[in-house]
Amino acid sequence: MSAPTPSAGPGAAPGILAQTVYLLLGILAVSGIAGVLLAAFFLPAVSLASQAAEDGVELFDSIPAELEVAPLNEASRIEAADGTLLATFYTENRIMVPLDQISPHMQHAVIAIEDRRFYEHGGIDFRGTIRALANNAASGNTQGGSTLTQQYVKNALLMDAVQKNDEAAMKEATAPTYSRKLREAKLALSLEKKWSKDEILNAYLNVAQFGPSQYGVETGSQHYFSKPASELNPGEAALLAGITNSPNGNDPVSQPERAQHRRDEVLADMLDLGYITQEEHDQYVAMPVGDMLTVKDVQAGCASAGTSGFFCDYVTRSLLKDPSFGATEDDRRRLLYGGGLTIRTTLDPAKQAAAQEILQRKIPQDDASGFGHSIVTVEPGTGRVLAMAENRTFNPYQNAGPGETAINYNVPQSLGGGSGFPVGSTFKPFVLTEWLSKGRSLYDTVGTARGVTPSFPASCLSGGQYMNRDAWDPDNAVSVSLAPQETVLNATKFSVNTSYTNMAHELDLCDIANRARSLGAVPATFDPYDPATTQMPIEQMYGQELAPSVVVLGEVRISALDMAAAYATYAASGTYCRPTGIDSISDRDGNPLPVTTTQCEQRLEPKVADAMAWTLEQDLVDPRATGKGRVIPGHDAGGKTGTSNEQFHTWYVGFTRQMSTAVWYGHPARNVRPGGTRIDNGRTYLQRGEVWGNTVSLPTWQEYMTRVHEGLPNEPFPQQPTGSTGAPGETVQSASRPSNRTSTSSSRSGGEG
C-alpha cells in the first residue's frame, strides 16, 4: 500500500509521527536492530501508529532490493580525423569519468557537505535519519538525512525515468512521500552490500547535477573552470559541491552571492573534518567567486561546430539513416544523444580550413549578390570525405540571418542538401566512359556541325527510342575553331556539345544514364537509403524520358559530393566508393560499434578508368582546352569544367590520385545569370556573359588543390591509352589546327567546358 502524503499545520503532529514510525520501522526491519531502537526511542509512539508501523514493514518487504536502471545518458563526441572536437550531442550534458580522474579535493568537498559519515554507515546514517525525522515530525517536511548512497539512488531512478520518458516513474522518483524515502533507503542498503564506497562515490559524482544543464562533475568542472575535474583545487571543489542541492539557485554565474555563501559553508566543513588547513580555508574564502570562473558554454549539435557545421550535419544525418547503427531512427537518435559515443570522422581540419578561407575570400557570405560557392573533397579508393565547405554559416534555427543557412550546398537532399544544381558539361565524362566501355576509341572522329537529330537510341523506353519532338538542336560555346570532324579526345578537351550529341546517337541513352548511375551520379532528390530509389527504373530516375539535354549535356541536378565521388572512380582505376564521413564509432567503454564506413566496388574496367584519367588530364595540360592549362604544380591532375544552360551554375570537378574535388558556383535559391559582380575580394570583375566553369569554379579549384597538395608526393597518372581506347602509337593532337574549320561560339543549350 502507498504511504499517505504528510499533512502540515495544526493538529498534524500525530499523523506525521505515525508516518515517522512507518518509515523508520521499515528501515530498521532490514537492519535486524528494530526491536532495540524501537523500545528505546519509539515505544510511546507505537500505540498511536501500530497499524502504520505494520504497513511500513509490509511495504518495505514489497520493495525490490536491486537497483535496476539503464546506463546514464552521456554526451557523444563528433571528432575530426585528428581527434579534435567538432560537436557534442546530448540530452543531458554529462561526461563520465572514473574516480581516479576526479580531484581528491572534489571527493572531500562532497563528503564534507553532503555525508560526513559516508565511510562509517552502511547506506543509511541512522543518527542523521533520526534527527531529520524528528525535525520532519515538527515541520511536516520529508527532506534531509539522505546519505550520498541514497542521493545516488534517487538521482539514478529519476534519470532512468527521464531517459525512458516514463512520466509515472518520474513522478514516483520525486514524490514528497515516505514510501519514496523508504524505497531509496532499501535500495541504498542493498547497494552498499554490492558496491565499494569508492564505486558509490564515483557513481554519485557522475550522476549529480553541478549547475543548470551540467550533469556530472567533469561537465561542471569544464563548464565553470574550463579544466578537467582531476585539476580542481579546494576552492573550486567547494564551489562545485555547493551547487548540487540547488543547481539553479546556487549557480555562481547567475547567483554569485548565494554561490559564495554556499562555497564558504563547504570550506568550513572541509576544515572541520581536516580535509584542508586553516591557511587554505582562509585563502579560498577570501577569493571572490567571479575571479574563480572561466566559463565555457558547450552547445549541443552542429551549430557549435563552426566552419565544419555543414559536414557535422551531413555526418549526423547519415547516422540517423544508417540501419547498421540502430534498428529504427528513434533507436539511432537515442544512441547518438545519450550513448556517450566517440564518432571519429574523416574530416581533415587543414583541408577544411583551406577550403573555407578560399570560399569566403572569393565570395564572402555577406556579399550582396547572394551567390553561393562550395568545395567538397573525396579520397579516391576509400570515399572518405576530407573537406566540405561553403560560403555560408551553418544555422539550423529559425533566426538564420544573411549569410546563414541550414542547407548544405554539397550534399543530396536526404542528407541536408537541396535539390542539387545542374552540372552542365561535367556530365560529359559519363558519356565518354560509356563510349570507351563499348570498345570505342578516343581517336574516333565525330561531327561538330549543328543539326536536329530526330531520335536517339534508348532501349529502356517504349519503342526503344527517344523521340526529339521539340527539335532540340544544341549549339557550342568554344574558344577554338572546329573542323567538321573532330576526334573524341578533342571533342572532350574543347567540350563540344554537338560532337557529344552525335556520340550519344551512336550509343544508347539508357546505357549512358545507367553508367552515370553506377558511378553514383544520380539526381540529388533521390535518397540513397531508400530502396525505392535504388530500385527505380532508370527512365524514372533521370526524368524527362532521358532527354539528351539531361543525360548528355548535364541539365540534371546532382550534388557536388556525388560528382566528386564519381570522378574519384577515374583516379582509383575504376573502384567506386560511396562517400562516407565516418571512420569509426566507439561506445562509452571504447568498444567499436557497427556503422557503415567505406563501401567500395570495382565499377569500371581499369583500362577504361585509366583512359578517362589520362583524357581528363589533357583538359589541364593543354592551355587551349577548357581547363586553360591550370595544372596543379608537381602533381598529375585532371578534370572537367561545366556550365549549365544560361550560365546559371558553373562547376569544376577534378582529381589527383589522392583527392577528388568538386567546386560549384551559382545562386542557391533561384536561376540568376551571374554578371556585373566582383569576386576574390573585389580583385576580379566579371561582366555578364563572362561567367563560365573556367572563370570562377576552376580558379577556385586550382587554388584549393594546389594548397592541399603542398608537401605531398606526386602519384602519376597512367600513360596515353592504346588498344580499344586508343590506336597504338597515336599521340595527342598537335597544337596546330587545320584550316577547314568553322567557328561555333554562339548561344547554345547545354554546358560549355
Side-chain angles (χ1 to χ4, degrees), residues 57-77:
V57 174
E58 291 179 2
L59 178 60
F60 193 92
D61 289 339
S62 70
I63 294 173
E66 299 295 329
L67 180 64
E68 296 181 358
V69 294
L72 289 171
N73 276 343
E74 186 176 354
S76 294
R77 291 170 53 93

Side-chain angles (χ1 to χ4, degrees), residues 279-317:
E279 182 180 0
E280 288 174 318
H281 170 272
D282 296 345
Q283 173 190 351
Y284 293 112
V285 165
M287 187 176 295
V289 162
D291 293 348
M292 300 175 66
L293 301 179
T294 306
V295 176
K296 179 175 65 177
D297 287 320
V298 177
Q299 295 180 329
C302 293
S304 63
T307 57
S308 302
F310 294 100
F311 173 79
C312 172
D313 186 62
Y314 157 71
V315 167
T316 58
R317 288 174 184 269

Side-chain angles (χ1 to χ4, degrees), residues 59-129:
L59 178 60
F60 193 92
D61 289 339
S62 70
I63 294 173
E66 299 295 329
L67 180 64
E68 296 181 358
V69 294
L72 289 171
N73 276 343
E74 186 176 354
S76 294
R77 291 170 53 93
I78 295 185
E79 301 176 344
D82 65 355
T84 55
L85 179 66
L86 297 180
T88 305
F89 284 78
Y90 57 81
T91 49
E92 290 97 37
N93 187 17
R94 178 183 288 108
I95 303 170
M96 306 284 283
V97 289
L99 194 63
D100 62 9
Q101 293 181 26
I102 301 174
S103 164
H105 300 304
M106 187 67 220
Q107 301 175 40
H108 295 157
V110 166
I111 291 171
I113 194 65
E114 296 291 343
D115 188 1
R116 59 173 52 205
R117 282 183 290 276
F118 175 67
Y119 288 107
E120 302 169 15
H121 61 67
I124 301 296
D125 182 358
F126 287 104
R127 192 190 315 173
T129 299

Side-chain angles (χ1 to χ4, degrees), residues 720-737:
Q720 181 180 353
T722 60
S724 63
T725 55
E730 288 192 293
T731 58
V732 181
Q733 291 287 314
S734 170
S736 62
R737 308 296 295 162

